[in-house]
Amino acid sequence: MAGYFTRKESKPGMILIIGLYFAALAYFLFKLVRMYEPSRAQTYAPVRKSLTTFAVITVILIILTIVNACVCTNNFNKGLKPHISKRKLESEDEKVTMTEMPNLAHGPVPSRMTID
């Protein structure tokens, strides 16, 4: 959805998406703090290291995603939308190669090298 709203330069849509990112960030921070509460320490003891690693990496990536979404939103109405929306495919061959996987039923591609 963020990609769609970015291509359409929809500020309300991007604000909604950024709000969802903040909700996801709050959820992971909540789970991370909850894992270390004394009343739940025994519940998470066997998996504390791996869940902490996962949560910290996720929090970092969500923060970077929020920053990227804010930069994209800030760049709205600066001239990129006409270039994206006017791009037309030149030929039918280009349309096929853009949407479909190549047909390899005839065997491997002959230009590839083989290892003996």
Side-chain angles (χ1 to χ4, degrees):
M1 291 304 296
Y4 174 79
F5 289 134
T6 301
R7 280 192 301 276
K8 297 296 181 183
E9 292 191 0
S10 170
K11 281 193 180 186
M14 284 303 290
I15 290 170
L16 174 74
I17 294 296
I18 292 169
L20 290 174
Y21 290 152
F22 274 112
L25 180 64
Y27 173 76
F28 277 100
L29 289 174
F30 164 74
K31 284 302 218 179
L32 189 61
V33 169
R34 189 174 187 190
M35 213 174 1
Y36 285 96
E37 287 179 351
S39 62
R40 301 190 186 265
Q42 293 298 15
T43 307
Y44 291 103
V47 292
R48 183 177 286 160
K49 252 188 217 180
S50 61
L51 286 179
T52 300
T53 303
F54 174 75
V56 168
I57 290 171
T58 303
V59 166
I60 291 169
L61 290 174
I62 290 175
I63 290 170
L64 291 174
T65 303
I66 290 170
V67 169
N68 187 34
C70 290
V71 168
C72 287
T73 304
N74 190 39
N75 287 331
F76 284 177
N77 300 321
K78 293 189 179 175
L80 188 59
K81 185 177 179 182
H83 296 289
I84 293 173
S85 62
K86 287 185 181 179
R87 185 181 186 297
K88 302 280 185 206
L89 297 176
E90 298 296 324
S91 66
E92 288 297 318
D93 291 337
E94 190 178 4
K95 288 181 185 176
V96 171
T97 59
M98 295 286 288
T99 59
E100 296 178 5
M101 295 292 291
N103 183 7
L104 299 177
H106 60 279
V109 179
S111 63
R112 292 188 179 174
M113 297 175 61
T114 58
I115 298 175
D116 292 330

